[in-house]
Amino acid sequence: AQSVTQPDIHITVSEGASLELRCNYSYGATPYLFWYVQSPGQGLQLLLKYFSGDTLVQGIKGFEAEFKRSQSSFNLRKPSVHWSDAAEYFCAVGAGQAGTALIFGKGTTLSVSS
Amino acid sequence: GAVVSQHPSRVICKSGTSVKIECRSLDFQATTMFWYRQFPKQSLMLMATSNEGSKATYEQGVEKDKFLINHASLTLSTLTVTSAHPEDSSFYICSADREHEQYFGPGTRLTVT
């Protein structure tokens, strides 16, 4: 079955500390992987995506993610978290084909402490 | 580029009435749009795939007679919640398909009283 697992429901990180959000996927075809961020009551903003090529991808707001095929993982990282990063983060996988919906993980809530 | 809008952003309706939510791709054409539903503190669940000029494809468990989807043009898809009930209260998000990506609207908060 196709699925996305985000093992951590809620993470609290001190401002300035590093962050890693985990994402594992199960997908039959070549996966197209995404990380989105959602602030309360808002839509989704794309942080970064991986289609092919370099397995370390850079995104907006200083985020990066690394695709590891052997581990079926696509973990999101940021070296220094800012208070404004507090939000809900979703990992998603798709087929990269027109007309194919994304499969989302359950999300990880990030809290930032001062 | 690749902006998707939704209207309204918030709507409150009485139980038994119908409400229409619009999803527009503002600067590109989208043959396919998707409708998701999100409950508080939960992930996005795909409700249906909307294809321009044809019938929508609904996910298992989604009542197609209750959630009417129309994709009349390459830039507009509408979701009508018919005979709404309090359990239909939720956050509805649309996305438009463009090449390898989906671009999401800002969402519509529906509250049924």
Side-chain angles (χ1 to χ4, degrees):
Chain A
Q2 299 171 346
S3 65
V4 176
T5 301
Q6 293 180 246
D8 305 305
I9 297 174
H10 191 177
I11 285 182
T12 299
V13 176
S14 298
E15 190 170 17
S18 63
L19 169 71
E20 182 171 31
L21 301 181
R22 295 182 291 165
C23 172
N24 293 95
Y25 67 90
S26 174
Y27 203 71
T30 300
Y32 286 69
L33 295 156
F34 306 83
W35 273 100
Y36 291 90
V37 61
Q38 184 182 36
S39 297
Q42 303 296 314
L44 298 174
Q45 181 180 23
L46 179 66
L47 287 176
L48 47 77
K49 62 194 177 190
Y50 173 78
F51 293 162
S52 63
D54 192 346
T55 56
L56 182 64
V57 293
Q58 303 296 321
I60 62 171
K61 304 184 179 184
F63 286 92
E64 66 177 27
E66 185 172 12
F67 171 59
K68 292 185 177 180
R69 185 184 299 275
S70 62
Q71 299 177 18
S72 297
S73 69
F74 189 56
N75 294 348
L76 181 71
R77 300 194 294 251
K78 185 169 185 178
S80 178
V81 169
H82 188 261
W83 64 267
S84 60
D85 293 324
E88 189 80 13
Y89 290 80
F90 293 99
C91 180
V93 65
Q97 298 173 354
T100 306
L102 297 181
I103 299 170
F104 285 85
K106 293 186 180 297
T108 298
T109 302
L110 173 65
S111 298
V112 180
S113 61
S114 56
Chain B
V3 178
V4 176
S5 69
Q6 274 184 250
H7 179 79
S9 57
R10 289 179 179 271
V11 58
I12 301 172
C13 69
K14 292 187 177 182
S15 186
T17 63
S18 296
V19 61
K20 180 185 286 188
I21 302 170
E22 294 185 347
C23 177
R24 293 182 184 271
S25 56
L26 299 184
D27 51 1
F28 66 101
Q29 294 183 331
T31 303
T32 303
M33 292 184 176
F34 302 94
W35 286 96
Y36 296 85
R37 182 174 182 177
Q38 186 181 30
F39 290 103
K41 304 290 186 181
Q42 295 191 27
S43 187
L44 282 74
M45 299 301 296
L46 179 67
M47 298 176 64
T49 301
S50 169
N51 295 297
E52 187 268 338
S54 64
K55 291 184 178 180
T57 302
Y58 291 82
E59 295 299 298
Q60 190 173 8
V62 177
E63 299 176 60
K64 60 182 179 182
D65 294 330
K66 181 170 186 61
F67 297 99
L68 300 179
I69 291 172
N70 184 279
H71 195 155
S73 78
L74 289 172
T75 59
L76 173 64
S77 175
T78 60
L79 167 67
T80 301
V81 183
T82 62
S83 187
H85 290 283
E87 57 265 32
D88 298 324
S89 298
S90 191
F91 194 56
Y92 294 87
I93 302 178
C94 73
S95 69
D97 199 31
R98 183 185 187 192
E99 297 177 352
H100 298 298
E101 295 187 39
Q102 290 185 28
Y103 295 87
F104 286 85
T108 296
R109 171 73 60 194
L110 170 63
T111 303
V112 185
T113 62

